[in-house]
């Protein structure tokens, strides 16, 4: 049985030096960095998950900014932030769609892997080893922020989401994907996916760090952002594919927007 989490994730740092960095998480993903672009390796679930989240991002961005769905590069003119970008699995598709992409990750090792792969792919992507709070303090702003499978790995959820929200331009969109803190998620995403099936390395997720939708709403309260969509993402073992669902008990995505 997992330990009961506190009502709010506390930062490991003192109030006068708050940080979103959980060094143990950064170290864990740094050790796996060479695996990012191997579709059959440690990040196989993310490769499987990518089609459904890419389709959702494309659909929502096209609608929000009234873009041409027939264009090969419909995102031209939009600036994207992929925060916690890892090896660049989302950055590269966004760049191919024409977006000006900044990929940020606290792991310098991940960033080096991402830079190398982008160069091999002939893509120009601004990769930086940095944090959401550093980017926000520097005054960076974006039309679209991709906040995918990151919030459950940071040290201070409130600081993290507020610093991301501060960077979203008027009319912009922020996508958030994470895992709900429910017993169903514990059984399927941690016991099943990590310990039994071995889809992810053991310890990838800690139950007490999973984030509920109401906690995301609470963190974004007062930022000026509005939650405009919430949907679940579920796995179909027969099709070996992920798809959109009404079930948000395990994996879910939320879409936040800043009014124009």
């Amino acid at each position: 049985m997992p330990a009961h989490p506190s009502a709010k994730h506390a930062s490991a740092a003192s109030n006068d030096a708050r940080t979103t960095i959980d060094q143990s998480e950064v170290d864990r993903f740094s050790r796996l960095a060479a695996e990012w672009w191997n579709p059959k390796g440690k990040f196989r679930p993310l490769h499987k998950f990518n089609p459904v989240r890419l389709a959702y991002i494309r659909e929502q961005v096209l609608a929000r900014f009234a873009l041409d769905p027939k264009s090969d590069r419909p995102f031209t003119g939009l600036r994207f932030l992929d925060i916690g970008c890892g090896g660049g699995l989302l950055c590269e598709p966004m760049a191919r769609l024409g977006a000006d992409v900044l990929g940020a990750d606290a792991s310098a090792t991940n960033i080096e892997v991402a830079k190398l792969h982008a160069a091999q792919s002939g893509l120009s992507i601004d990769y930086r080893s940095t944090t959401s709070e550093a980017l926000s303090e520097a005054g960076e702003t974006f039309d679209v922020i991709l906040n995918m499978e990151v919030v459950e790995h940071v040290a201070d959820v409130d600081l993290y989401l507020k610093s991301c929200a501060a960077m979203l331009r008027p009319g912009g969109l922020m996508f958030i994907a994470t895992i709900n803190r429910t017993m169903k998620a514990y059984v399927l995403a941690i016991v099943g996916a990590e310990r039994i099936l071995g889809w992810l390395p053991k310890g990838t997720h800690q139950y007490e760090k999973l984030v509920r939708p109401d906690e995301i709403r609470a963190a974004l309260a007062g930022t000026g952002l509005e939650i405009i969509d919430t949907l679940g993402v579920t796995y179909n073992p027969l099709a070996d594919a992920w798809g959109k669902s009404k079930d948000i008990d395990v994996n879910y995505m939320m879409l936040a927007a800043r009014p124009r």
Side-chain angles (χ1 to χ4, degrees):
M1 179 74 71
H4 183 73
S6 60
K8 188 173 183 180
H9 301 299
S11 170
S14 61
N15 288 334
D16 60 351
R18 292 174 69 191
T19 177
T20 60
I21 294 177
D22 182 327
Q23 194 59 48
S24 64
E25 296 279 9
V26 173
D27 293 343
R28 178 180 296 112
F29 284 98
S30 294
R31 288 192 294 271
L32 297 171
E35 294 278 336
W36 276 108
W37 287 96
N38 179 2
K40 296 182 180 180
K42 301 291 186 181
F43 293 104
R44 179 178 180 274
L46 278 183
H47 286 271
K48 286 288 185 180
F49 193 46
N50 240 10
V52 66
R53 61 182 186 170
L54 287 172
Y56 182 66
I57 292 167
R58 187 178 188 277
E59 167 192 303
Q60 294 295 332
V61 172
L62 288 176
R64 182 72 174 181
F65 296 97
L67 303 175
D68 182 4
K70 297 180 181 179
S71 171
D72 290 335
R73 295 174 61 82
F75 293 175
T76 299
L78 296 180
R79 191 175 190 222
F80 277 56
L81 168 65
D82 184 6
I83 186 73
C85 66
L89 298 188
L90 283 175
C91 291
E92 292 199 10
M94 297 302 107
R96 288 193 176 93
L97 288 170
D100 173 12
V101 181
L102 192 162
D105 199 286
S107 166
T109 307
N110 284 344
I111 290 299
E112 290 308 310
V113 169
K115 285 181 177 179
L116 179 60
H117 198 275
Q120 293 171 340
S121 302
L123 296 171
S124 176
I125 297 172
D126 181 4
Y127 281 119
R128 305 182 197 175
S129 178
T130 187
T131 64
S132 60
E133 62 268 32
L135 289 169
S136 178
E137 289 170 6
E140 298 281 2
T141 62
F142 304 88
D143 300 293
V144 179
I145 296 176
L146 305 180
N147 192 328
M148 314 296 273
E149 291 77 45
V150 182
V151 69
E152 70 271 26
H153 298 293
V154 302
D156 188 327
V157 173
D158 190 68
L159 173 63
Y160 176 69
L161 288 174
K162 281 180 167 56
S163 59
C164 287
M167 294 186 281
L168 194 63
R169 294 171 177 171
L173 293 175
M174 180 162 70
F175 295 81
I176 302 168
T178 189
I179 301 175
N180 207 342
R181 194 171 70 251
T182 63
M183 188 51 60
K184 184 175 177 180
Y186 174 72
V187 171
L188 295 179
I190 295 179
V191 176
E194 295 183 20
R195 302 177 188 174
I196 297 175
L197 297 174
W199 285 356
L200 291 166
K202 291 180 181 178
T204 297
H205 296 105
Q206 291 83 50
Y207 178 80
E208 64 274 10
K209 293 192 70 175
L210 302 183
V211 185
R212 293 174 178 162
D214 63 322
E215 293 169 335
I216 290 177
R217 292 189 187 96
L220 292 178
T223 65
L225 270 60
E226 303 171 353
I227 302 295
I228 61 174
D229 194 26
T230 301
L231 71 157
V233 184
T234 55
Y235 177 69
N236 182 336
L238 296 178
D240 189 24
W242 292 83
K244 292 189 290 185
S245 167
K246 294 181 180 179
D247 182 357
I248 65 169
D249 287 347
V250 185
N251 295 85
Y252 68 95
M253 291 193 287
M254 300 181 80
L255 181 61
R258 185 176 297 284
R260 294 181 173 88

